[in-house]
Amino acid sequence: MIQSNKLVRPSMFMGLVLMASFATQVAYAAPVIVGTCKSGVQFVTIQSAINASPSGTTINVCPGLYPEQVVINKALTLKGFASGNQGAAIITAPPGGIVQNATSLSTGDPIAAQVLVQSGTGLVTISDMTVDGNNNQISCTPDLIGIYYQNSSGTITRDAVLNEVMTNDTGCQGGLGIFVQSGGSGSSNVSITFNHIENYQKNGITGNEVGTSVTINGNTVIGQGPTTGAAENSIQIGFGATGSITSNTVSSDVWAPDTFSDPGDAAAGLLVYDAANVIISKNNVSATQFGIAVVGDGAFSADHASVTNNTVSATHIFDGIDLCNNSNTVTGNVINGSDEAAIHIDGSCGGSTGSVVKSNTINSACAGILIGANSSVSSSSPNTYYNTITLVQNNGSDACTPPPGA
């Protein structure tokens, strides 16, 4: 090939750049389609459709397998749809595995996200898609994430996020289904609704850091069951984030090596950590170690939680509802089968005071209400108890102590 030595004037070069940019992002009159199942402007990969489409585009994804990592850096809608008898548009790991494409806004640790949203002020909707982390080929680092909104806002709805488990499932604190995170004075406001998340290593749905607000409603989140890897949590709001957790079904969060004397690394169905004013309502939580845990022992408060009308069943080793904070409203919950306390006003964070605990129904627990060291409640009646060894234990201990012979 003969190469020209002629120099292009800057003005001419800028014109070429602008023309190229315009040519690759045009508004389409026909639908934007990934695949060939429907007529329209067709693309082979999801990423090529994103790159070529302007902000505001709806990208429709045909059923099939898409072995790619996707980066969304503009406002758009990514939507799977059914065609004929097929109905799953599945983002899978590329042949070489899932690789780093981001870093954590809080720690700087490397992250490998299957779908990474960095849209800034543009709203991004992801719906009716499956994200499958199988064959990710990650041992312990970078941190594996299915869908990651980073300083970005929008909606995640009717998606399935599966198998976010790394090959080294022996204590690596990674493997998240959906993660919303803010940092550097940025913000994220994301609605997470009606999704199915199953088989994750650390958390199913997470909203962390100041600037993050999440509305988590109507999801089904199922952990691995007993595991020797990370202590799982189905849903977590933490580290200064805000939001609500309502009408979700969560289960199977159990860290197998845990014992009664070591609650610090137990798994939880719903975990609020250093996040205040969180609403937790109408959830169904089962087969976990802590059912619902609200803990404030770090840089931010976890006070003023509203824990109402939840159903918590079969908490192994620990409490149905554990509150290590202040000034909560705990009403209308149904708590069945707590190995320790149905409701624990936990003193291990320095004391918990000012909570209203009433109109709850408790069946089968070591203690119905356990009031720990340096802790108190402003109201603890009426509650309804069945098959509960000690209805209210208030002797300054944070461990249930059944009477002799019980």
Side-chain angles (χ1 to χ4, degrees):
M1 177 182 297
I2 299 175
Q3 295 183 341
S4 171
N5 291 323
K6 293 177 63 178
L7 295 177
V8 180
R9 293 194 303 273
S11 58
M12 181 185 297
F13 179 73
M14 288 301 297
L16 292 173
V17 170
L18 291 172
M19 290 174 61
S21 175
F22 177 77
T24 57
Q25 290 193 11
V26 296
Y28 298 108
V32 176
I33 307 295
V34 181
T36 59
C37 69
K38 183 178 180 180
S39 61
V41 181
Q42 295 179 341
F43 294 88
V44 174
T45 67
I46 297 171
Q47 192 64 60
S48 63
I50 292 170
N51 293 345
S53 299
S55 294
T57 299
T58 295
I59 297 173
N60 303 279
V61 185
C62 290
L65 300 178
Y66 298 90
E68 55 181 306
Q69 289 178 254
V70 175
V71 178
I72 301 174
N73 56 9
K74 65 189 76 170
L76 55 78
T77 295
L78 183 67
K79 178 179 175 61
F81 66 96
S83 177
N85 199 38
Q86 305 298 312
I90 306 172
I91 297 174
T92 62
I98 300 172
V99 299
Q100 179 183 353
N101 57 0
T103 56
S104 169
L105 296 175
S106 61
T107 66
D109 291 341
I111 288 174
Q114 293 188 262
V115 179
L116 172 62
V117 179
Q118 294 176 318
S119 62
T121 58
L123 299 180
V124 173
T125 296
I126 301 172
S127 71
D128 307 285
M129 299 289 299
T130 297
V131 179
D132 191 338
N134 259 335
N135 302 313
N136 57 78
Q137 301 180 42
I138 297 174
S139 176
C140 195
T141 188
D143 189 358
L144 176 66
I145 298 175
I147 299 175
Y148 180 28
Y149 275 57
Q150 189 180 69
N151 280 339
S152 299
S153 298
T155 300
I156 305 169
T157 187
R158 299 188 307 273
D159 298 300
V161 183
L162 312 172
N163 305 314
E164 300 300 330
V165 178
M166 296 178 285
T167 59
N168 181 9
D169 188 12
T170 55
C172 298
Q173 301 296 304
L176 309 179
I178 295 171
F179 186 26
V180 180
Q181 186 184 42
S182 304
S185 300
S187 63
S188 306
N189 190 330
V190 180
S191 173
I192 305 169
T193 61
F194 309 114
N195 302 284
H196 177 74
I197 300 96
E198 186 168 4
N199 194 31
Y200 42 86
Q201 185 158 327
K202 180 56 182 174
N203 289 351
I205 300 173
T206 307
N208 277 357
E209 270 71 66
V210 173
T212 296
S213 177
V214 285
T215 301
I216 304 172
N217 177 72
N219 304 279
T220 301
V221 189
I222 310 298
Q224 299 181 75
T227 175
T228 58
E232 302 167 293
N233 306 294
S234 282
I235 298 174
Q236 173 182 308
I237 296 178
F239 303 97
T242 63
S244 61
I245 305 171
T246 58
S247 301
N248 302 280
T249 298
V250 307
S251 71
S252 303
D253 299 299
V254 177
W255 193 60
D258 218 344
T259 64
F260 174 78
S261 61
D262 180 24
D265 50 10
L270 308 179
L271 174 63
V272 174
Y273 185 85
D274 286 354
N277 302 298
V278 175
I279 296 170
I280 306 169
S281 182
K282 298 180 181 178
N283 300 284
N284 192 321
V285 182
S286 63
T288 62
Q289 288 173 312
F290 287 102
I292 299 171
V294 184
V295 181
D297 63 353
F300 302 97
S301 164
D303 296 345
H304 302 288
S306 174
V307 185
T308 61
N309 301 313
N310 301 281
T311 299
V312 181
S313 305
T315 50
H316 307 295
I317 308 179
F318 300 116
D319 308 307
I321 298 174
D322 182 88
L323 304 166
C324 211
N325 63 334
N326 301 299
S327 304
N328 308 284
T329 300
V330 186
T331 60
N333 301 284
V334 177
I335 308 160
N336 297 314
S338 302
D339 281 1
E340 186 145 20
I343 300 171
H344 184 186
I345 309 302
D346 196 336
S348 65
C349 301
S352 301
T353 61
S355 292
V356 174
V357 182
K358 65 181 183 179
S359 302
N360 302 284
T361 300
I362 295 164
N363 190 349
S364 185
C366 178
I369 300 174
L370 173 60
I371 302 174
N374 302 309
S375 298
S376 63
V377 295
S378 62
S379 175
S380 61
S381 66
N383 294 284
T384 302
Y385 304 92
Y386 303 99
N387 308 298
T388 300
I389 295 173
T390 303
L391 303 189
V392 179
Q393 178 182 315
N394 188 6
N395 60 2
S397 172
D398 279 293
C400 178
T401 53

Short mmCIF file of all heavy atoms in Angstrom, two decimals, residues 66-71 91-102 110-116 131-148 161-167 175-177:
data_model
loop_
_atom_site.label_atom_id
_atom_site.label_comp_id
_atom_site.label_asym_id
_atom_site.label_seq_id
_atom_site.Cartn_x
_atom_site.Cartn_y
_atom_site.Cartn_z
N TYR A 66 -26.12 -13.26 23.25
CA TYR A 66 -25.27 -12.12 22.89
C TYR A 66 -24.03 -12.15 23.78
O TYR A 66 -24.03 -11.62 24.90
CB TYR A 66 -26.05 -10.81 23.03
CG TYR A 66 -27.23 -10.77 22.10
CD1 TYR A 66 -28.47 -11.24 22.51
CD2 TYR A 66 -27.08 -10.33 20.79
CE1 TYR A 66 -29.56 -11.25 21.64
CE2 TYR A 66 -28.16 -10.32 19.91
CZ TYR A 66 -29.39 -10.78 20.34
OH TYR A 66 -30.46 -10.81 19.46
N PRO A 67 -22.96 -12.79 23.31
CA PRO A 67 -21.73 -12.93 24.12
C PRO A 67 -20.90 -11.66 24.07
O PRO A 67 -19.92 -11.56 23.32
CB PRO A 67 -21.03 -14.12 23.48
CG PRO A 67 -21.49 -14.11 22.05
CD PRO A 67 -22.88 -13.56 22.06
N GLU A 68 -21.27 -10.67 24.88
CA GLU A 68 -20.57 -9.38 24.85
C GLU A 68 -20.75 -8.67 26.18
O GLU A 68 -21.64 -8.98 26.97
CB GLU A 68 -21.11 -8.50 23.72
CG GLU A 68 -22.62 -8.29 23.76
CD GLU A 68 -23.12 -7.43 22.60
OE1 GLU A 68 -22.59 -6.31 22.42
OE2 GLU A 68 -24.05 -7.88 21.89
N GLN A 69 -19.86 -7.74 26.47
CA GLN A 69 -20.04 -6.78 27.56
C GLN A 69 -20.55 -5.49 26.96
O GLN A 69 -20.03 -5.03 25.93
CB GLN A 69 -18.73 -6.56 28.31
CG GLN A 69 -18.32 -7.76 29.16
CD GLN A 69 -16.99 -7.53 29.86
OE1 GLN A 69 -15.99 -8.11 29.46
NE2 GLN A 69 -16.97 -6.71 30.90
N VAL A 70 -21.54 -4.91 27.58
CA VAL A 70 -22.25 -3.77 27.01
C VAL A 70 -21.99 -2.54 27.86
O VAL A 70 -22.10 -2.59 29.09
CB VAL A 70 -23.76 -4.07 26.94
CG1 VAL A 70 -24.52 -2.85 26.47
CG2 VAL A 70 -24.03 -5.25 26.02
N VAL A 71 -21.65 -1.43 27.21
CA VAL A 71 -21.47 -0.14 27.89
C VAL A 71 -22.49 0.84 27.33
O VAL A 71 -22.54 1.06 26.11
CB VAL A 71 -20.04 0.40 27.71
CG1 VAL A 71 -19.90 1.76 28.40
CG2 VAL A 71 -19.01 -0.58 28.26
N ILE A 91 -27.69 -11.81 27.47
CA ILE A 91 -26.31 -11.34 27.42
C ILE A 91 -25.46 -12.34 28.20
O ILE A 91 -25.68 -12.57 29.39
CB ILE A 91 -26.18 -9.93 28.02
CG1 ILE A 91 -27.00 -8.94 27.18
CG2 ILE A 91 -24.72 -9.51 28.09
CD1 ILE A 91 -27.05 -7.55 27.79
N THR A 92 -24.50 -12.95 27.52
CA THR A 92 -23.64 -13.97 28.13
C THR A 92 -22.19 -13.51 28.12
O THR A 92 -21.84 -12.47 27.54
CB THR A 92 -23.77 -15.29 27.37
OG1 THR A 92 -23.31 -15.10 26.01
CG2 THR A 92 -25.20 -15.78 27.32
N ALA A 93 -21.33 -14.29 28.75
CA ALA A 93 -19.91 -13.96 28.78
C ALA A 93 -19.31 -14.15 27.39
O ALA A 93 -19.61 -15.12 26.69
CB ALA A 93 -19.18 -14.86 29.77
N PRO A 94 -18.43 -13.23 26.96
CA PRO A 94 -17.70 -13.43 25.71
C PRO A 94 -16.82 -14.68 25.80
O PRO A 94 -16.52 -15.17 26.90
CB PRO A 94 -16.86 -12.15 25.58
CG PRO A 94 -17.52 -11.16 26.48
CD PRO A 94 -18.12 -11.94 27.60
N PRO A 95 -16.35 -15.21 24.67
CA PRO A 95 -15.52 -16.42 24.70
C PRO A 95 -14.28 -16.29 25.59
O PRO A 95 -13.87 -17.26 26.22
CB PRO A 95 -15.14 -16.62 23.23
CG PRO A 95 -16.25 -15.96 22.48
CD PRO A 95 -16.66 -14.79 23.30
N GLY A 96 -13.69 -15.11 25.69
CA GLY A 96 -12.50 -14.92 26.52
C GLY A 96 -12.81 -14.60 27.97
O GLY A 96 -11.90 -14.32 28.75
N GLY A 97 -14.07 -14.63 28.34
CA GLY A 97 -14.46 -14.30 29.71
C GLY A 97 -14.84 -12.84 29.86
O GLY A 97 -14.74 -12.04 28.93
N ILE A 98 -15.30 -12.49 31.06
CA ILE A 98 -15.71 -11.13 31.37
C ILE A 98 -14.51 -10.39 31.96
O ILE A 98 -13.87 -10.88 32.89
CB ILE A 98 -16.89 -11.13 32.34
CG1 ILE A 98 -18.08 -11.88 31.70
CG2 ILE A 98 -17.30 -9.72 32.72
CD1 ILE A 98 -19.24 -12.12 32.64
N VAL A 99 -14.20 -9.21 31.42
CA VAL A 99 -12.97 -8.50 31.80
C VAL A 99 -13.31 -7.16 32.43
O VAL A 99 -14.44 -6.66 32.34
CB VAL A 99 -12.07 -8.30 30.57
CG1 VAL A 99 -11.65 -9.63 29.97
CG2 VAL A 99 -12.75 -7.42 29.52
N GLN A 100 -12.32 -6.56 33.07
CA GLN A 100 -12.51 -5.28 33.73
C GLN A 100 -12.92 -4.20 32.74
O GLN A 100 -12.31 -4.05 31.67
CB GLN A 100 -11.24 -4.84 34.45
CG GLN A 100 -11.39 -3.48 35.14
CD GLN A 100 -10.13 -2.98 35.80
OE1 GLN A 100 -9.13 -3.69 35.88
NE2 GLN A 100 -10.14 -1.74 36.29
N ASN A 101 -13.94 -3.43 33.10
CA ASN A 101 -14.33 -2.27 32.30
C ASN A 101 -14.71 -1.06 33.15
O ASN A 101 -15.22 -0.07 32.64
CB ASN A 101 -15.47 -2.62 31.34
CG ASN A 101 -16.70 -3.18 32.03
OD1 ASN A 101 -16.72 -3.31 33.26
ND2 ASN A 101 -17.71 -3.54 31.25
N ALA A 102 -14.46 -1.14 34.47
CA ALA A 102 -14.77 -0.02 35.37
C ALA A 102 -13.99 -0.20 36.66
O ALA A 102 -13.36 -1.24 36.89
CB ALA A 102 -16.27 0.03 35.66
N PRO A 110 -11.02 -2.92 40.84
CA PRO A 110 -11.46 -3.20 39.47
C PRO A 110 -12.81 -3.91 39.44
O PRO A 110 -13.11 -4.74 40.30
CB PRO A 110 -10.35 -4.10 38.92
CG PRO A 110 -9.74 -4.74 40.13
CD PRO A 110 -9.83 -3.72 41.22
N ILE A 111 -13.61 -3.58 38.44
CA ILE A 111 -14.94 -4.15 38.27
C ILE A 111 -15.10 -4.66 36.84
O ILE A 111 -14.68 -3.99 35.88
CB ILE A 111 -16.03 -3.11 38.58
CG1 ILE A 111 -16.09 -2.87 40.10
CG2 ILE A 111 -17.39 -3.53 38.06
CD1 ILE A 111 -17.04 -1.77 40.52
N ALA A 112 -15.71 -5.82 36.71
CA ALA A 112 -16.05 -6.38 35.40
C ALA A 112 -17.56 -6.49 35.33
O ALA A 112 -18.16 -7.39 35.93
CB ALA A 112 -15.39 -7.75 35.21
N ALA A 113 -18.20 -5.55 34.66
CA ALA A 113 -19.66 -5.51 34.56
C ALA A 113 -20.10 -6.04 33.21
O ALA A 113 -19.54 -5.69 32.18
CB ALA A 113 -20.17 -4.08 34.76
N GLN A 114 -21.14 -6.87 33.23
CA GLN A 114 -21.69 -7.33 31.96
C GLN A 114 -22.46 -6.22 31.25
O GLN A 114 -22.40 -6.10 30.03
CB GLN A 114 -22.58 -8.55 32.19
CG GLN A 114 -21.80 -9.77 32.65
CD GLN A 114 -22.66 -11.02 32.69
OE1 GLN A 114 -23.15 -11.39 33.75
NE2 GLN A 114 -22.85 -11.66 31.56
N VAL A 115 -23.21 -5.43 32.02
CA VAL A 115 -23.87 -4.24 31.48
C VAL A 115 -23.46 -3.07 32.36
O VAL A 115 -23.79 -3.03 33.54
CB VAL A 115 -25.40 -4.39 31.45
CG1 VAL A 115 -26.03 -3.12 30.90
CG2 VAL A 115 -25.83 -5.59 30.63
N LEU A 116 -22.73 -2.13 31.80
CA LEU A 116 -22.21 -0.97 32.52
C LEU A 116 -22.92 0.28 32.01
O LEU A 116 -22.88 0.58 30.81
CB LEU A 116 -20.71 -0.83 32.30
CG LEU A 116 -20.03 0.44 32.83
CD1 LEU A 116 -20.17 0.56 34.34
CD2 LEU A 116 -18.56 0.47 32.41
N VAL A 131 -29.35 -11.40 31.88
CA VAL A 131 -27.91 -11.24 32.01
C VAL A 131 -27.40 -12.46 32.77
O VAL A 131 -27.77 -12.67 33.92
CB VAL A 131 -27.54 -9.94 32.73
CG1 VAL A 131 -26.03 -9.81 32.87
CG2 VAL A 131 -28.12 -8.73 31.99
N ASP A 132 -26.55 -13.27 32.13
CA ASP A 132 -26.10 -14.54 32.70
C ASP A 132 -24.59 -14.52 32.86
O ASP A 132 -23.85 -14.39 31.89
CB ASP A 132 -26.52 -15.69 31.78
CG ASP A 132 -26.33 -17.06 32.41
OD1 ASP A 132 -25.52 -17.18 33.36
OD2 ASP A 132 -26.98 -18.02 31.96
N GLY A 133 -24.13 -14.67 34.12
CA GLY A 133 -22.69 -14.60 34.40
C GLY A 133 -21.95 -15.92 34.27
O GLY A 133 -20.76 -15.98 34.60
N ASN A 134 -22.60 -16.97 33.81
CA ASN A 134 -21.91 -18.25 33.62
C ASN A 134 -20.68 -18.10 32.72
O ASN A 134 -20.68 -17.28 31.80
CB ASN A 134 -22.86 -19.27 33.00
CG ASN A 134 -23.40 -20.24 34.04
OD1 ASN A 134 -22.77 -20.48 35.08
ND2 ASN A 134 -24.56 -20.82 33.77
N ASN A 135 -19.67 -18.91 32.98
CA ASN A 135 -18.44 -18.93 32.18
C ASN A 135 -17.73 -17.58 32.18
O ASN A 135 -17.09 -17.20 31.20
CB ASN A 135 -18.73 -19.37 30.74
CG ASN A 135 -19.38 -20.73 30.68
OD1 ASN A 135 -18.93 -21.67 31.34
ND2 ASN A 135 -20.46 -20.85 29.91
N ASN A 136 -17.80 -16.86 33.33
CA ASN A 136 -17.18 -15.54 33.38
C ASN A 136 -15.65 -15.61 33.44
O ASN A 136 -14.98 -14.64 33.14
CB ASN A 136 -17.71 -14.76 34.59
CG ASN A 136 -17.49 -15.49 35.91
OD1 ASN A 136 -16.38 -15.49 36.45
ND2 ASN A 136 -18.55 -16.11 36.45
N GLN A 137 -15.08 -16.74 33.88
CA GLN A 137 -13.63 -16.97 33.93
C GLN A 137 -12.90 -16.02 34.86
O GLN A 137 -11.71 -15.74 34.69
CB GLN A 137 -13.04 -16.92 32.51
CG GLN A 137 -13.64 -17.94 31.56
CD GLN A 137 -13.05 -17.88 30.16
OE1 GLN A 137 -11.83 -17.74 30.00
NE2 GLN A 137 -13.91 -17.98 29.15
N ILE A 138 -13.61 -15.51 35.89
CA ILE A 138 -13.00 -14.65 36.90
C ILE A 138 -12.77 -15.48 38.15
O ILE A 138 -13.70 -16.11 38.65
CB ILE A 138 -13.89 -13.44 37.21
CG1 ILE A 138 -14.05 -12.55 35.98
CG2 ILE A 138 -13.30 -12.63 38.37
CD1 ILE A 138 -15.03 -11.41 36.17
N SER A 139 -11.55 -15.46 38.68
CA SER A 139 -11.25 -16.19 39.90
C SER A 139 -11.72 -15.41 41.11
O SER A 139 -12.65 -15.81 41.80
CB SER A 139 -9.76 -16.49 40.00
OG SER A 139 -9.47 -17.12 41.24
N CYS A 140 -11.08 -14.26 41.40
CA CYS A 140 -11.50 -13.47 42.57
C CYS A 140 -11.49 -11.98 42.27
O CYS A 140 -12.10 -11.21 42.99
CB CYS A 140 -10.56 -13.78 43.74
SG CYS A 140 -11.19 -13.23 45.34
N THR A 141 -10.84 -11.57 41.24
CA THR A 141 -10.78 -10.16 40.85
C THR A 141 -10.66 -10.10 39.33
O THR A 141 -10.04 -10.98 38.72
CB THR A 141 -9.59 -9.44 41.53
OG1 THR A 141 -9.65 -8.04 41.27
CG2 THR A 141 -8.26 -9.99 41.03
N PRO A 142 -11.27 -9.14 38.67
CA PRO A 142 -12.07 -8.02 39.18
C PRO A 142 -13.42 -8.48 39.73
O PRO A 142 -13.82 -9.63 39.55
CB PRO A 142 -12.25 -7.14 37.95
CG PRO A 142 -12.18 -8.09 36.80
CD PRO A 142 -11.18 -9.12 37.19
N ASP A 143 -14.11 -7.57 40.39
CA ASP A 143 -15.41 -7.85 40.97
C ASP A 143 -16.44 -8.02 39.85
O ASP A 143 -16.59 -7.16 38.98
CB ASP A 143 -15.81 -6.69 41.89
CG ASP A 143 -17.06 -7.00 42.71
OD1 ASP A 143 -17.63 -8.09 42.53
OD2 ASP A 143 -17.45 -6.14 43.52
N LEU A 144 -17.14 -9.14 39.87
CA LEU A 144 -18.13 -9.46 38.84
C LEU A 144 -19.47 -8.82 39.18
O LEU A 144 -19.98 -8.98 40.29
CB LEU A 144 -18.27 -10.97 38.73
CG LEU A 144 -19.34 -11.51 37.78
CD1 LEU A 144 -18.99 -11.17 36.33
CD2 LEU A 144 -19.50 -13.03 37.96
N ILE A 145 -20.08 -8.12 38.20
CA ILE A 145 -21.40 -7.49 38.39
C ILE A 145 -22.23 -7.73 37.13
O ILE A 145 -21.73 -7.59 36.01
CB ILE A 145 -21.27 -5.98 38.65
CG1 ILE A 145 -20.49 -5.73 39.94
CG2 ILE A 145 -22.65 -5.33 38.73
CD1 ILE A 145 -20.20 -4.26 40.22
N GLY A 146 -23.51 -8.06 37.32
CA GLY A 146 -24.40 -8.24 36.18
C GLY A 146 -24.77 -6.93 35.52
O GLY A 146 -24.42 -6.66 34.38
N ILE A 147 -25.51 -6.07 36.25
CA ILE A 147 -25.90 -4.74 35.76
C ILE A 147 -25.39 -3.70 36.75
O ILE A 147 -25.71 -3.77 37.94
CB ILE A 147 -27.43 -4.63 35.62
CG1 ILE A 147 -27.96 -5.66 34.60
CG2 ILE A 147 -27.83 -3.22 35.19
CD1 ILE A 147 -29.48 -5.70 34.50
N TYR A 148 -24.62 -2.74 36.27
CA TYR A 148 -23.96 -1.76 37.14
C TYR A 148 -24.28 -0.36 36.66
O TYR A 148 -23.86 0.07 35.58
CB TYR A 148 -22.45 -2.01 37.09
CG TYR A 148 -21.58 -1.11 37.93
CD1 TYR A 148 -22.03 -0.50 39.09
CD2 TYR A 148 -20.25 -0.88 37.56
CE1 TYR A 148 -21.20 0.30 39.86
CE2 TYR A 148 -19.41 -0.08 38.32
CZ TYR A 148 -19.89 0.52 39.47
OH TYR A 148 -19.07 1.32 40.23
N VAL A 161 -31.28 -11.70 36.18
CA VAL A 161 -29.83 -11.62 36.36
C VAL A 161 -29.41 -12.89 37.10
O VAL A 161 -29.82 -13.11 38.24
CB VAL A 161 -29.41 -10.36 37.14
CG1 VAL A 161 -27.89 -10.29 37.24
CG2 VAL A 161 -29.97 -9.11 36.47
N LEU A 162 -28.59 -13.71 36.46
CA LEU A 162 -28.33 -15.05 36.93
C LEU A 162 -26.84 -15.33 37.03
O LEU A 162 -26.04 -14.80 36.25
CB LEU A 162 -28.96 -16.08 35.98
CG LEU A 162 -30.42 -15.85 35.57
CD1 LEU A 162 -30.83 -16.84 34.48
CD2 LEU A 162 -31.34 -15.94 36.77
N ASN A 163 -26.46 -16.15 37.99
CA ASN A 163 -25.14 -16.81 38.04
C ASN A 163 -23.97 -15.82 38.12
O ASN A 163 -22.95 -16.01 37.46
CB ASN A 163 -24.96 -17.73 36.83
CG ASN A 163 -26.09 -18.74 36.71
OD1 ASN A 163 -26.47 -19.37 37.69
ND2 ASN A 163 -26.64 -18.87 35.52
N GLU A 164 -24.13 -14.79 38.96
CA GLU A 164 -23.02 -13.86 39.16
C GLU A 164 -22.11 -14.41 40.28
O GLU A 164 -21.99 -13.85 41.37
CB GLU A 164 -23.54 -12.47 39.48
CG GLU A 164 -24.43 -11.86 38.40
CD GLU A 164 -23.71 -11.71 37.05
OE1 GLU A 164 -22.48 -11.51 37.06
OE2 GLU A 164 -24.39 -11.78 36.01
N VAL A 165 -21.49 -15.53 39.98
CA VAL A 165 -20.63 -16.25 40.91
C VAL A 165 -19.29 -16.48 40.23
O VAL A 165 -19.23 -17.01 39.11
CB VAL A 165 -21.24 -17.61 41.32
CG1 VAL A 165 -20.31 -18.36 42.25
CG2 VAL A 165 -22.60 -17.39 41.99
N MET A 166 -18.20 -16.10 40.90
CA MET A 166 -16.87 -16.26 40.33
C MET A 166 -16.38 -17.69 40.55
O MET A 166 -16.94 -18.45 41.34
CB MET A 166 -15.92 -15.23 40.95
CG MET A 166 -16.34 -13.80 40.60
SD MET A 166 -15.30 -12.52 41.36
CE MET A 166 -15.89 -12.58 43.04
N THR A 167 -15.34 -18.06 39.83
CA THR A 167 -14.87 -19.45 39.91
C THR A 167 -14.26 -19.78 41.26
O THR A 167 -14.25 -20.93 41.68
CB THR A 167 -13.84 -19.73 38.81
OG1 THR A 167 -12.73 -18.82 38.95
CG2 THR A 167 -14.45 -19.53 37.44
N GLY A 175 -19.29 -10.53 43.21
CA GLY A 175 -20.38 -11.27 42.60
C GLY A 175 -21.72 -10.65 42.96
O GLY A 175 -22.41 -11.10 43.86
N LEU A 176 -22.08 -9.56 42.24
CA LEU A 176 -23.31 -8.81 42.51
C LEU A 176 -24.24 -8.93 41.31
O LEU A 176 -23.80 -8.86 40.16
CB LEU A 176 -23.01 -7.34 42.76
CG LEU A 176 -21.94 -7.01 43.81
CD1 LEU A 176 -21.75 -5.50 43.91
CD2 LEU A 176 -22.32 -7.57 45.18
N GLY A 177 -25.54 -9.06 41.59
CA GLY A 177 -26.50 -9.10 40.50
C GLY A 177 -26.71 -7.73 39.89
O GLY A 177 -26.34 -7.47 38.74
#
